[in-house]
Amino acid sequence: MAIPPRILLGVSGGIAAYKAPEMVRRWRERGAEVRCAMTDNARRFVSPLALEVVTGHRVYGEEYLKPQGSGVEEHIELTEWADRLVLAPATANLLALLARGLAPNFLTTLALAWDGPVVVAPAMHPRMWNHPATQENVALLRARGVTLVGPVVGPLASGEIGMGRMADPLAIVGAGLEMSGLEVRAGVGPADDKSSLVGRRVLVSAGPTREPLDPVRFLGNRSSGKMGFALAAEAAKRGAIVDLVSGPVSLEEPPGVRRTRVETALEMRTAMLDRVVDAEVVFMTAAVADYRPLRVASEKLKKETGPPTVELVENPDILVELSKAPGRRLIVGFAAETEDVLRHGQTKLERKGCDLLVVNDVSRADIGFDSDDNEVTVLAKGAPPVVISRRPKRELAAALLDLVESDLVERDVVERELSTETESEVGA
Ligand code: C5P
């Protein structure tokens, strides 16, 4: 029989601490053993007794900094017991202490004595998250091999909406089990119905388009399709019904995804417009050629006839058309920029009419086209930009879907509130 994972959950003082018992419960459902340590501030948000009941063990705090009779220091004993450390929620203060190796309390003392895998789920106000000091601390932790889960965009304790909300507890549970959050979702029943994408129709375009010049040549671009495929795979794992319209790429079809292959921008347009009516979320990830040759030679162009002059005509902008399609849905566009990335992104968001625009800087060799990693800034109308820091495209897809999910939940809430208001007005 496999040895159950032993998870040490460190809880610091953020409002999201109230989600700690739920995480413990999920881990225990999956066979893990869990112990908890908490800061004094965390005790103001969640009762140690609740954690004691769900873990079946005492909860560790400041009193354990003193040896408890056996002579062995508890923080050392605990590090020897556990095989992974999860810090959730992790406040800005905790991130700073971890990054700098400071240990003013039991939790940080324990973290300093720890040399195994660490998962950190930050939660804080967006201004604290975006502060250069926090970002520097996060970069230090990441460079040390710490796995960061979230934060995500969503409603915050302050009543605002922004980047700083703790990631979905299930994603943290997954990371704690050394699986991605979505593997946990796909793995067993009860978690599946947690995603707001279950049963929703998601339409994704991916890859480049090819605009033929003659029977053998085309105008194309460097898009690998990885980002779109990652989004399709992730959405499918979260229980969405996914349609993937892809240009020519050499990637394996994600399981559970219905794929349509296209070559040209015009073919992609037809495929997308055919499918958009039913879609509740659209990711227009494809790198569509802006222009196509006006004339396509029916025979291979011959070298002997000298260099051809190629006249180009503009392709329709599929994203603009999708944004205007009848019905309500969330439309996410992508933009690859090489300079003044944010300003161009904002202009594009307006021009394209989509709800979110995911902008990446393709002038950087380490991210973007054909790379396995990406870093993006997400722009939305009337909201501050959200940076999703550099990470593998699959993880980036998960972060984007978290963001979309919180947007969908918010829309549902607003819609429900509006319909109740209308009902009560009718009743009055
Ligand atoms: O204008 P630009 O090509 O930078 O815009 C990028 C976004 O617009 C992407 O989401 C891309 O899929 C979409 N696009 C489109 N049709 C085009 C060109 C771009 O849908 N002809």
Side-chain angles (χ1 to χ4, degrees):
M1 215 179 86
I3 303 167
R6 290 173 159 189
I7 297 170
L8 186 51
L9 173 66
V11 186
S12 64
I15 177 80
Y18 80 88
K19 296 178 183 165
E22 161 77 3
M23 290 190 275
V24 173
R25 206 169 56 77
R26 296 282 184 180
W27 274 316
R28 297 206 60 196
E29 276 171 9
R30 289 163 175 83
E33 284 183 39
V34 189
R35 301 218 179 156
C36 286
M38 61 201 301
T39 63
D40 280 347
N41 276 336
R43 288 168 193 259
R44 291 160 50 197
F45 297 101
V46 60
S47 120
L49 185 60
L51 287 169
E52 225 169 276
V53 171
V54 286
T55 57
H57 292 280
R58 58 199 175 158
V59 168
Y60 298 82
E62 300 321 310
E63 63 280 15
Y64 286 95
L65 268 179
K66 296 182 208 99
Q68 300 291 306
S70 65
V72 185
E73 292 157 299
E74 294 283 342
H75 59 281
I76 302 294
E77 205 169 47
L78 259 183
T79 57
E80 277 157 15
W81 171 83
D83 48 33
R84 52 209 81 181
L85 174 64
V86 179
L87 301 166
T91 58
N93 182 48
L94 180 60
L95 295 182
L97 296 172
L98 294 172
R100 308 292 157 173
L102 295 171
N105 55 26
F106 181 81
L107 184 57
T108 45
T109 307
L110 179 131
L112 201 54
W114 177 259
D115 59 0
V118 187
V119 173
V120 170
M124 66 200 70
H125 189 276
R127 281 202 293 277
M128 296 170 83
W129 172 251
N130 288 323
H131 194 286
T134 305
Q135 286 304 309
E136 223 170 78
N137 293 330
V138 167
L140 268 176
L141 293 174
R142 211 176 253 132
R144 251 180 244 151
V146 168
T147 302
L148 271 109
V149 184
V152 296
V153 173
L156 303 161
S158 59
E160 294 162 89
I161 290 169
M163 178 74 150
R165 188 180 165 82
M166 191 174 80
D168 184 327
L170 274 178
I172 303 166
V173 167
L177 291 170
E178 284 174 355
M179 297 191 267
S180 66
L182 61 112
E183 276 170 306
V184 172
R185 285 191 177 93
V188 265
D192 269 326
D193 50 45
K194 277 281 174 182
S195 168
S196 55
L197 285 176
V198 174
R200 299 225 198 206
R201 289 188 177 272
V202 174
L203 175 60
V204 184
S205 74
T209 61
R210 284 182 181 173
E211 309 302 323
L213 280 161
D214 70 12
V216 294
R217 300 184 183 91
F218 58 83
L219 298 178
N221 61 62
R222 290 177 192 279
S223 168
S224 64
K226 285 179 189 164
M227 192 65 239
F229 273 61
L231 280 164
E234 176 76 30
K237 285 222 166 175
R238 291 184 186 203
I241 305 160
V242 184
D243 254 308
L244 172 64
V245 174
S246 93
V249 291
S250 52
L251 293 174
E252 233 171 78
E253 214 147 287
V257 166
R258 194 168 59 183
R259 178 181 183 185
T260 307
R261 294 168 200 261
V262 296
E263 286 250 337
T264 65
L266 292 180
E267 286 169 8
M268 182 167 280
R269 172 178 181 265
T270 308
M272 292 299 283
L273 291 179
D274 277 353
R275 289 163 180 74
V276 72
V277 188
D278 294 332
E280 289 163 90
V281 182
V282 179
F283 289 101
M284 189 63 207
T285 324
V288 185
D290 289 328
Y291 301 99
R292 65 179 185 279
L294 174 63
R295 277 173 289 276
V296 182
S298 54
E299 301 299 333
K300 189 179 165 199
L301 295 166
K302 294 273 182 290
K303 200 174 175 183
E304 294 73 33
T305 50
T309 304
V310 179
E311 197 181 332
L312 299 175
V313 286
E314 198 167 343
N315 273 328
D317 195 307
I318 306 170
L319 181 54
V320 170
E321 291 187 53
L322 293 171
S323 303
K324 287 184 186 154
R328 272 174 51 80
R329 63 191 61 83
L330 189 83
I331 300 202
V332 187
F334 285 73
E337 302 292 341
T338 54
E339 37 92 40
D340 211 352
V341 172
L342 284 189
R343 195 172 59 81
H344 284 125
Q346 283 294 358
T347 318
K348 206 166 272 182
L349 177 71
E350 298 284 318
R351 186 160 48 82
K352 302 268 184 177
C354 50
D355 300 288
L356 299 177
L357 190 77
V358 181
V359 194
N360 61 342
D361 182 348
V362 284
S363 66
R364 282 173 57 178
D366 56 334
I367 54 170
F369 279 161
D370 213 18
S371 132
D372 287 329
D373 281 1
N374 207 357
E375 173 175 306
V376 299
T377 306
V378 184
L379 305 177
K381 287 172 210 154
V386 172
V387 177
I388 304 179
S389 56
R390 184 181 167 181
R391 61 196 76 189
K393 284 184 175 165
R394 189 60 190 261
E395 282 174 31
L396 196 108
L400 279 173
L401 279 165
D402 282 346
L403 220 149
V404 160
E405 286 206 43
S406 56
D407 216 320
L408 288 175
V409 170
E410 212 178 296
R411 282 171 176 230
D412 286 349
V413 171
V414 171
E415 243 161 52
R416 229 176 293 132
E417 275 169 7
L418 283 176
S419 70
T420 345
E421 265 169 37
T422 324
E423 274 163 28
S424 57
E425 272 165 31
V426 170

